[in-house]
Amino acid sequence: MHLPRQLGALHDLPDTPEAYDAVLAGVAEEALARLTPEGNLEHPDCVDDIGDTSLGITSLLALAWQRGKDPRLPEAVRRSLAFHLRERVYTEDNPGYPNLKVRDSGLPYARYTLAAGAHPIGDWPSTVWALLQAVNMLDLAEGLVEDGQRAELVEVAHGYWRWLTEATFFNPQEAGNQAIGCVVGGLMLARHLPPEQGAQVRSRAIAVYADEIRAHRVADRGALLPPEHGGAYDNNYGPISLSFLAQAHRISGEEIFAEDGDALARYVDARLTTGGFDNGGPRYSEQHSGFESVLGLRYFSARIGSDLGRYRGDTRWGRHAVKADGGVDGHFAWMLVWQVQDTTRWHRTPSTTPARHQLRAGTVSVAFDSRMTPSLVEAGGTYYLPAAVNRQHGFGPVTDGFLYCRPMGEVRVRDVRAEGLVAKLVTKPVVGRDHVLRHVRSLYVSDGTSLWTTVAVERLPGTPYLLAGLPYATDDGDRVRRTAEGRVTSAGELRLTHPEADGVDHFDARAERTQEEAAFALAADPRGYGNPDEGWRHLVSSTALEAEPAPGAPEDLHVFAVRYGRTGEFVPTFTHDGSALTVRTEAFTAVIGESAGDAHGEPELTVLAV
């Protein structure tokens, strides 16, 4: 089976002016055929996320007219804009809406669903989206919209802004992308208001960003990130936040948005595999955005000098939102407008600057979590997740059911590049159940096609093994296919084990269940509202690669050696002279020095190609 939403790399979609004109022409033909006598452009099957969708398609028609001057479009724009202003602007409180600070304000807002009192929790983001569609229309109104209609749209847009920032609690879903989108709406609105009023709205928007979003950033993997639905990052919504930061910087020129966007972009780059696969987040562990991410990934790929566009998006949404029948939906249409308007081009080559939480070479990559334990390993086109044993998750030595990967003290990292090899040494103090402090040294070396992992630790009691990952998915053209195996070899005996117990908290990679489905099933709250990452942490056991200690290791150490991405003979050797451990493989020789040998206690690493 294939994962449903991780499809092609977003930078593979043509983004020339001609390509965008063709997309807009297709939207225009469909919209003209759909336009009702009342001026409605909503998809007939649209129920949720509906409050902004007709206006979104209207803005796409306006952009198409500005670029191509199709004489059929001005009348459609005016009729559909009139429909939104007449039928989709609400000023009476939605019954049951829980986040109001001011009752009966009379300010306009948009509804998530049209029926009164039906699922009103989504009205806040729907109003953000309607504000963004409205300010895009104002930007594109010249030559299309008469003065009276334009003035009404300005008044509605200003009312949306006030409802979002005065009549309700700000960002009630704790969703960074929605909150930054609101700020963007204020920045764009300010340009269409009288100077004094516009300056006030602009100042307020920047203050809201600083006080309500930036001040509440969440730390993960060494970065401060806008919180997303209560977590630090979500692989669906995080790149959308990046797009909003890009637009905020484009519109305002304020360096704060560029700085925070750079930080988020470097974080995305570090956690993203070479093949563009990623998973995890507080809302959707495997769902991926499409066109909504393009602006941010493209804009900041150029700023940080890395190929962020390798991100595997849902290319069914590669241009705009669509319904199940493939028909265009106006949801999030402003992102396509901004993509077309932005002239930034993709940066398509990887950054060569070492990143603490990433090792990357050729088709091999390792993403590390905040504890410098691999969160995702890619080699040979296969993706490995942290395995689970006895409710503990990660990569590392295991003895008597205890996994040695959670540091008790400072984690130190040394990066080395030499003779076509990329290497990272991670040393961390770890306390076992026997309360003995041990130093786990993990060496990762890649030549761009294979990954060698060597883990050394002071001799462990019992019969230890290395928990070496959960083979989960593999590249299959533009798709990602579920798997339960990979090309892996070990110096010691290698086992691929599967849970003996049944139940959702025992993940068997051979079953037709995705990580996302299992994570939501284990989450405390319903799908779409629960945190799948928290749910996944309840996993008791999983399919796992288990590697026995390497033969011939020094008597005072347990050493484990695993090679990913290549089969065949693998017979590394190890020597330990008391101050350094030397590892010899068919591809390299590495010398790992004792931390005490450095004046600052930093680990020493030398790598030479064979």
Side-chain angles (χ1 to χ4, degrees):
M1 61 177 288
H2 289 100
L3 298 183
R5 301 177 188 89
Q6 297 219 17
L7 305 178
L10 289 178
H11 64 198
D12 288 344
L13 291 168
D15 64 346
T16 62
E18 294 77 15
Y20 281 131
D21 284 337
V23 171
L24 292 171
V27 170
E29 293 301 328
E30 185 177 339
L32 290 172
R34 178 188 299 173
L35 185 66
T36 68
E38 297 79 21
N40 189 356
L41 286 171
E42 293 160 0
H43 190 284
D45 294 339
C46 191
V47 177
D48 295 343
D49 271 321
I50 193 172
D52 68 302
T53 61
S54 182
L55 187 57
I57 296 181
T58 304
S59 71
L60 294 178
L61 297 183
L63 180 61
W65 184 81
Q66 295 291 359
R67 293 171 66 86
K69 297 299 188 286
D70 184 334
R72 300 174 298 168
L73 298 182
E75 176 62 20
V77 168
R78 287 190 283 269
R79 282 174 55 195
S80 57
L81 177 55
F83 168 80
H84 179 83
L85 293 172
R86 183 180 67 250
E87 303 290 343
R88 294 296 180 259
V89 178
Y90 294 85
T91 56
E92 294 182 358
D93 294 353
N94 198 349
Y97 186 71
N99 297 311
L100 290 176
K101 294 195 299 183
V102 179
R103 293 286 185 190
D104 301 318
S105 68
L107 293 170
Y109 66 95
R111 286 187 177 175
Y112 180 75
T113 58
L114 300 182
H119 202 54
I121 191 67
D123 289 356
W124 199 88
S126 289
T127 304
V128 174
W129 310 153
L131 170 61
L132 292 170
Q133 312 285 25
V135 291
N136 269 348
M137 270 304 306
L138 291 173
D139 283 353
L140 298 165
E142 185 176 353
L144 278 175
V145 178
E146 296 175 351
D147 289 347
Q149 200 176 40
R150 183 188 180 282
E152 185 178 358
L153 183 59
V154 170
E155 183 178 356
V156 166
H158 193 198
Y160 285 155
W161 168 254
R162 292 189 58 202
W163 187 85
L164 291 163
T165 58
E166 298 175 19
T168 69
F169 290 98
F170 185 80
N171 190 22
Q173 294 184 18
E174 297 183 348
N177 74 97
Q178 299 172 9
I180 304 171
C182 180
V183 168
V184 171
L187 294 172
M188 295 182 69
L189 170 67
R191 304 182 304 177
H192 297 283
L193 298 173
E196 183 176 347
Q197 198 174 44
Q200 292 175 348
V201 169
R202 176 188 167 93
S203 175
R204 172 69 174 146
I206 294 173
V208 164
Y209 180 77
D211 298 339
E212 302 290 346
I213 303 170
R214 196 169 200 261
H216 298 282
R217 288 177 298 171
V218 179
D220 187 47
R221 308 187 195 195
L224 288 175
L225 308 170
E228 188 53 64
H229 288 283
Y233 173 83
D234 184 279
N235 68 344
N236 181 30
Y237 294 114
I240 297 176
S241 285
L242 196 61
S243 288
F244 284 129
L245 287 169
Q247 182 67 1
H249 185 242
R250 289 182 66 237
I251 292 300
S252 71
E254 292 288 337
E255 195 60 23
I256 189 173
F257 301 117
E259 291 174 359
D260 292 355
D262 288 350
L264 177 54
R266 291 191 181 98
Y267 172 89
V268 173
D269 188 41
R271 70 174 288 148
L272 195 62
T273 60
T274 295
F277 177 83
D278 185 22
N279 77 312
R283 283 295 295 271
Y284 297 113
S285 286
E286 287 174 2
Q287 285 198 31
H288 268 49
S289 49
F291 77 102
E292 314 101 296
S293 300
V294 167
L295 175 68
L297 294 170
R298 191 173 68 192
Y299 190 82
F300 285 102
S301 74
R303 282 189 56 91
I304 72 168
S306 194
D307 56 337
L308 295 178
R310 69 188 188 276
Y311 177 94
R312 282 185 181 270
D314 188 341
T315 50
R316 293 170 300 186
W317 280 41
R319 301 302 192 181
H320 47 67
V322 296
K323 290 298 184 185
D325 64 358
V328 63
D329 180 7
H331 188 49
F332 266 52
W334 64 85
M335 287 291 192
L336 177 56
V337 174
W338 300 342
Q339 277 182 52
V340 177
Q341 293 172 335
D342 180 44
T343 58
T344 307
R345 300 277 66 87
W346 290 108
H347 182 98
R348 296 181 177 274
T349 56
S351 170
T352 58
T353 303
R356 178 178 174 88
H357 295 89
Q358 176 193 59
L359 177 141
R360 187 178 174 199
T363 59
V364 173
S365 54
V366 184
F368 296 87
D369 63 19
S370 290
R371 302 180 301 192
M372 287 306 297
T373 297
S375 62
L376 193 56
V377 170
E378 172 194 23
T382 297
Y383 304 98
Y384 304 85
L385 302 177
V389 57
N390 196 25
R391 300 185 184 274
Q392 302 160 92
H393 301 193
F395 290 73
V398 177
T399 184
D400 296 330
F402 183 85
L403 172 60
Y404 287 80
C405 73
R406 294 170 298 280
M408 180 63 70
E410 188 67 22
V411 179
R412 299 174 185 261
V413 178
R414 174 64 61 91
D415 288 284
V416 172
R417 290 176 179 263
E419 302 178 282
L421 299 171
V422 177
K424 185 184 292 286
L425 175 64
V426 177
T427 64
K428 60 174 76 171
V430 177
V431 175
R433 290 211 164 101
D434 57 5
H435 290 202
V436 174
L437 181 71
R438 292 177 173 87
H439 287 81
V440 177
R441 289 172 287 173
S442 302
L443 173 65
Y444 307 86
V445 181
S446 178
D447 62 357
T449 58
S450 301
L451 173 70
W452 291 264
T453 300
T454 305
V455 178
V457 62
E458 291 92 342
R459 200 143 189 99
L460 295 164
T463 55
Y465 63 89
L466 182 74
L467 194 65
L470 157 64
Y472 177 69
T474 189
D475 290 338
D476 187 9
D478 284 344
R479 303 296 301 274
V480 177
R481 177 171 48 83
R482 285 278 282 104
T483 190
E485 58 188 12
R487 288 183 290 165
V488 184
T489 50
S490 170
E493 180 186 344
L494 183 68
R495 302 180 296 270
L496 179 62
T497 65
H498 303 286
E500 297 181 358
D502 294 326
V504 71
D505 52 352
H506 300 277
F507 187 82
D508 191 328
R510 298 169 298 180
E512 289 193 0
R513 170 175 272 165
T514 66
Q515 188 267 352
E516 175 187 358
E517 290 169 338
F520 268 117
L522 290 166
D525 296 308
R527 183 179 179 87
Y529 300 92
N531 184 336
D533 276 3
E534 286 186 358
W536 187 251
R537 283 192 280 272
H538 293 298
L539 196 68
V540 176
S541 66
S542 74
T543 291
L545 289 162
E546 299 176 356
E548 294 288 335
E555 291 185 359
D556 58 339
L557 297 176
H558 270 123
V559 180
F560 308 87
V562 176
R563 183 182 63 192
Y564 301 83
R566 185 189 304 179
T567 56
E569 186 179 56
F570 180 46
V571 189
T573 62
F574 314 94
T575 56
H576 189 214
D577 64 5
S579 62
L581 173 66
T582 301
V583 181
R584 292 182 175 87
T585 74
E586 75 280 11
F588 64 88
T589 297
V591 180
I592 303 171
E594 299 288 354
S595 61
D598 180 88
H600 302 287
E602 293 296 328
E604 297 180 332
L605 175 63
T606 303
V607 178
L608 298 174
V610 172

